[in-house]
């Protein structure tokens, strides 16, 4: 792709958000009932290509169970309120009563300063597994080794190692960094790693032995990474770059590593565009936080929002759009595209004549925006 001159000493590529591309229908259409939205990750099959973001405003043990029952997956953050407090529901209810954002940030810093308790890690994962659905949970790289004994004890099914920006090679002068290249291959459970936003970063993460990579930096509705530190990538281009990395990795190794688009998807149309850009599945936060039965009770925030020195996220108020089931599976209650997300994806696939997600990735895209 040709670079654009920013100035005499610097040039850069043009990049695109999801809302700056559109899917081109073909000569064939099909009934939406004939569309297959399932996908497989390692030994696990999901009926819906949707993972709920590892955020306390989105996923609780109860919502993880509900999502699993619908064919999706809820990713519980093992460094969130549910592993710090016996009664996290009460803490979430208290936070929802605070309207002033400065006071809310102060109180969030207090409740997130309580240490993570290993016994609660085991208990929360057990709640999900006892319901008979796949257990999926997230940790940050600095806490992965410390929490791994509890994760193993609880027999977690799928682990997500996630940071705002994650690389296979982290340099530190004061801590021994987690070496993903050797660490992941020692684990006996599939691992998803991210986030990343470039071809090279995605390729390096794929070479760690991960089953999937999360793609997206600075694109979520609660994320202020771009404003705070100036780092990010428009999501359509980031996914397409990761797709190219996946193809190269497959050619080199014969191993297919899944691409999961994380962030920047506010509607069913965004999810459809993410799949056509190259995503095998998506990780969704904001639309699910708008469910009337979401843990955030009308608010949504990222896990970096309560950071003690440099928050890279914000708490946002969300207008309830319906129950969790209505947001995912309908029926839709408004015209915004923020309910019946799966129905919208099915409609897009049917309108373009594709019968499964892998085929849908072959659809053509047109650029409608001017890029970042």
């Amino acid at each position: 792709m040709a670079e654009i001159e920013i100035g005499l000493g610097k040039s850069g590529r043009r990049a695109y958000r999801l809302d700056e591309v559109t899917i081109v229908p073909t000569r064939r259409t099909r009934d939406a009932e004939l569309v297959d939205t399932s996908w497989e990750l390692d030994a696990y099959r999901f009926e819906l290509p949707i993972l709920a973001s590892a955020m306390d405003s989105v996923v609780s043990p109860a919502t993880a169970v509900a999502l699993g029952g619908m064919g999706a997956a809820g990713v519980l953050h093992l460094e969130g309120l549910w592993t710090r407090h016996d009664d996290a529901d009460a803490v979430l209810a208290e936070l929802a009563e605070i309207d002033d954002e400065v006071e809310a940030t102060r109180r969030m810093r207090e409740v997130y300063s309580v240490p993570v308790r290993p016994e609660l890690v085991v208990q929360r994962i057990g709640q999900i597994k006892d319901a008979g659905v796949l257990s999926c949970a997230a940790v940050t790289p600095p806490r992965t080794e410390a929490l791994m004994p509890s994760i193993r004890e609880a027999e977690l099914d799928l682990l997500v190692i996630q940071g705002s920006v994650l690389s296979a090679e982290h340099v530190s002068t004061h801590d021994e960094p987690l070496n993903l290249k050797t660490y992941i291959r020692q684990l006996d459970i599939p691992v998803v790693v991210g986030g990343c936003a470039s071809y090279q970063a995605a390729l390096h993460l794929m070479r760690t032995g991960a089953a999937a990579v999360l793609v997206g930096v600075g694109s979520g509705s609660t994320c202020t990474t771009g404003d705070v530190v100036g780092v990010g990538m428009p999501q359509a281009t980031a996914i397409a770059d990761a797709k190219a990395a996946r193809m190269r990795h497959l050619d080199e190794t014969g191993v297919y590593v899944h691409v999961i688009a994380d962030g920047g998807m506010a509607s069913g149309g965004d999810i459809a565009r993410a799949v056509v850009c190259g995503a095998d599945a998506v990780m969704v936060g904001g639309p699910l936080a708008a469910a009337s039965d979401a843990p955030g009770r009308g608010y949504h925030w990222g896990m970096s929002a309560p950071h003690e020195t440099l928050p890279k996220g914000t708490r946002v108020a969300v207008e309830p759009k319906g129950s969790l089931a209505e947001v995912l599976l309908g029926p839709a209650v408004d015209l915004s595209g923020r309910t019946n997300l799966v129905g919208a994806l099915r409609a897009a696939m049917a309108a373009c004549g594709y019968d499964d997600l892998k085929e849908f990735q072959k659809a053509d895209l047109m650029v409608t925006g001017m890029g970042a």
Side-chain angles (χ1 to χ4, degrees):
M1 181 183 293
E3 292 193 339
I4 299 171
E5 186 179 277
I6 297 170
L8 291 178
K10 198 71 175 180
S11 60
R13 294 166 56 204
R14 186 180 296 281
Y16 298 94
R17 303 187 307 268
L18 289 171
D19 62 0
E20 293 179 309
V21 298
T22 189
I23 306 165
V24 181
T26 61
R27 62 181 176 85
R28 179 184 293 114
T29 59
R30 65 178 63 242
D31 290 340
E33 292 77 12
L34 301 177
V35 166
D36 180 8
T37 59
S38 67
W39 70 298
E40 295 181 0
L41 179 60
D42 199 83
Y44 302 111
R45 174 185 170 90
F46 304 88
E47 294 304 316
L48 308 178
I50 293 178
L51 287 76
S53 296
M55 299 175 171
D56 283 338
S57 55
V58 179
V59 178
S60 67
T63 55
V65 171
L67 288 161
M70 289 181 240
V75 185
L76 183 70
H77 207 300
L78 296 183
E79 298 168 44
L81 297 175
W82 293 95
T83 58
R84 298 174 189 265
H85 299 271
D86 288 308
D87 191 354
D89 259 325
V91 177
L92 288 162
E94 177 194 347
L95 292 174
E97 293 297 319
I98 304 175
D99 295 326
D100 182 78
E101 289 310 308
V102 174
E103 174 60 21
T105 299
R106 185 197 65 78
R107 182 57 180 146
M108 287 173 70
R109 283 176 169 168
E110 290 178 350
V111 297
Y112 279 99
S113 68
V114 176
V116 172
R117 292 160 49 191
E119 71 275 14
L120 283 180
V121 171
V122 177
Q123 180 182 328
R124 302 311 187 194
I125 296 173
Q127 287 178 248
I128 300 171
K129 291 184 67 70
D130 289 346
V133 302
L134 177 132
S135 59
C136 184
V139 291
T140 59
R143 301 295 296 273
T144 300
E145 290 190 280
L147 293 177
M148 190 52 64
S150 299
I151 291 170
R152 285 198 171 102
E153 180 183 347
E155 298 182 345
L156 182 72
D157 296 313
L158 181 63
L159 176 65
V160 178
I161 301 177
Q162 185 174 15
S164 296
V165 180
L166 190 66
S167 71
E169 300 177 3
H170 178 71
V171 178
S172 176
T173 58
H174 52 83
D175 291 316
E176 183 65 30
L178 182 68
N179 188 332
L180 292 174
K181 292 180 179 179
T182 58
Y183 191 78
I184 289 178
R185 298 182 189 278
Q186 298 172 1
L187 300 179
D188 54 2
I189 58 175
V191 179
V192 178
V193 296
C196 64
S198 70
Y199 169 88
Q200 203 64 43
L203 184 60
H204 281 192
L205 288 179
M206 290 174 184
R207 289 170 174 167
T208 65
V213 296
L214 296 173
V215 178
V217 172
S219 56
S221 60
T222 65
C223 184
T224 58
T225 301
D227 292 332
V228 175
V229 297
V231 173
M233 167 75 95
Q235 189 68 311
T237 299
I239 299 167
D241 281 0
K243 175 185 177 181
R246 180 180 63 203
M247 294 170 62
R248 177 174 173 183
H249 185 268
L250 180 62
D251 288 340
E252 291 177 346
T253 67
V255 176
Y256 186 95
V257 179
H258 291 81
V259 169
I260 302 174
D262 179 16
M265 282 153 289
S267 67
D270 289 335
I271 294 173
R273 286 187 283 257
V275 172
V276 176
C277 284
D280 297 289
V282 299
M283 180 172 275
V284 178
L288 299 181
S292 56
D293 45 350
R297 295 167 168 79
Y299 287 97
H300 180 39
W301 63 91
M303 295 305 293
S304 59
H307 193 279
E308 63 274 11
T309 59
L310 188 65
K312 297 187 291 297
T314 184
R315 189 181 82 148
V316 297
V318 289
E319 179 185 352
K321 295 293 184 180
S323 68
L324 185 62
E326 289 171 333
V327 170
L328 266 187
L329 303 174
V333 296
D334 60 26
L335 302 178
S336 68
R338 294 172 182 260
T339 51
N340 198 1
L341 300 177
V342 176
L345 173 61
R346 287 180 175 275
M349 295 171 67
C352 295
Y354 295 97
D355 60 358
D356 61 37
L357 295 172
K358 291 306 299 179
E359 287 295 314
F360 194 38
Q361 290 177 349
K362 299 176 182 178
D364 291 331
L365 287 171
M366 293 290 287
V367 175
T368 59
M370 293 303 295

